[in-house]
Amino acid sequence: KSLINLLQREASEWTIMFFIFANTLVMMMETSDASTQYEQVLVNLNLVFSIIFILEAAVKLLAYFPRNYFNDGWNRFDFVITLITLVDITANLEAGASIFRVLRLARLLKMIQGAKGMRALLNTLISSLPAIYNVSSLMCLVLYIFTILGMHTFGDIEEYSSLEEVVNPFINFRSFGTSLMSMVAVFTGTNVNALMEATYRICEDPVTCI
């Protein structure tokens, strides 16, 4: 009971938030051209933060017992991140450890638990997911229609295009896949003017020209 009272104190929550934010700052300080001593300091700091988070999870498990601990969604989330932290410490693999270290950044989402405004915003976003799904479906349908239209209209673009740097093996309308990628580029505004010039057709007969 004393452990539960300790964990439910506002000071305890803010302390953990501080360590989460500090751990993120330490991870942000990593550079590719750092010296060996600098890298070792960052490794030691990450190890200290990892031990703190592991101890937090252990204290919560001891206080709430497994059943009550895993009934809370934030505790389950924190337990998964703690397991990732343990793998990061024990793996000692260059590529793999860096991937696990990046996944530990998800602990920042735990700060939402202590911020009422952000929590309300997250709940609003979750409740609006069905509407977002409908809008996304409509956008995908429009994208599909214009992808097929682009294939039939600009499928022979290599015959009259003079902008080879724009029309390349990845951006063209000769197949459904590349046509879809081209439409995604248009939707996101990537080099739209150059692509429009590359697909512009100079026709002598305006009746047969699209």
Side-chain angles (χ1 to χ4, degrees):
K1 188 175 181 181
S2 58
L3 285 177
I4 295 176
N5 293 333
L6 177 64
L7 292 171
Q8 290 179 347
R9 288 182 181 177
E10 188 175 355
S12 300
E13 294 182 1
W14 281 107
T15 302
I16 294 300
M17 296 301 172
F18 169 77
F19 284 127
I20 292 174
F21 188 71
N23 187 23
T24 306
L25 289 179
V26 170
M27 295 177 69
M28 185 180 65
M29 294 167 61
E30 296 182 3
T31 58
S32 58
D33 56 347
S35 62
T36 305
Q37 294 82 0
Y38 183 79
E39 289 183 352
Q40 189 60 43
V41 170
L42 295 182
V43 168
N44 292 336
L45 287 174
N46 275 313
L47 181 60
V48 170
F49 287 124
S50 299
I51 293 173
I52 291 173
F53 297 136
I54 291 171
L55 288 176
E56 180 208 2
V59 170
K60 283 187 175 180
L61 272 170
L62 183 63
Y64 295 110
F65 300 105
R67 175 182 248 176
N68 295 329
Y69 176 82
F70 289 107
N71 282 338
D72 185 78
W74 286 108
N75 286 340
R76 292 195 299 269
F77 172 78
D78 187 60
F79 185 76
V80 172
I81 301 299
T82 303
L83 289 180
I84 292 175
T85 302
L86 285 171
V87 173
D88 183 23
I89 294 174
T90 57
N92 197 22
L93 299 173
E94 291 296 331
S98 62
I99 294 174
F100 288 121
R101 196 170 298 119
V102 170
L103 290 176
R104 284 164 52 189
L105 288 172
R107 187 176 272 113
L108 277 172
L109 295 175
K110 192 178 177 182
M111 300 182 72
I112 298 175
Q113 185 181 11
K116 294 182 179 179
M118 293 179 63
R119 192 163 64 242
L121 184 61
L122 179 63
N123 292 333
T124 303
L125 179 63
I126 293 175
S127 62
S128 62
L129 283 178
I132 295 176
Y133 170 77
N134 294 331
V135 173
S136 301
S137 299
L138 179 60
M139 291 182 62
C140 290
L141 179 61
V142 172
L143 183 64
Y144 175 79
I145 293 173
F146 277 93
T147 298
I148 300 298
L149 185 62
M151 288 175 58
H152 289 279
T153 307
F154 306 114
D156 57 343
I157 191 174
E158 72 279 3
E159 296 180 2
Y160 56 82
S161 172
S162 60
L163 299 176
E164 294 298 332
E165 68 277 5
V166 178
V167 182
N168 52 60
F170 305 100
I171 301 297
N172 60 71
F173 295 92
R174 293 191 288 272
S175 66
F176 179 82
T178 55
S179 181
L180 179 63
M181 291 298 299
S182 302
M183 290 310 305
V184 171
V186 171
F187 272 41
T188 56
T190 305
N191 210 10
V192 175
N193 291 335
L195 185 60
M196 181 180 64
E197 293 174 5
T199 56
Y200 183 71
R201 208 190 276 263
I202 300 178
C203 298
E204 295 180 358
D205 186 4
V207 177
T208 59
C209 180
I210 299 179

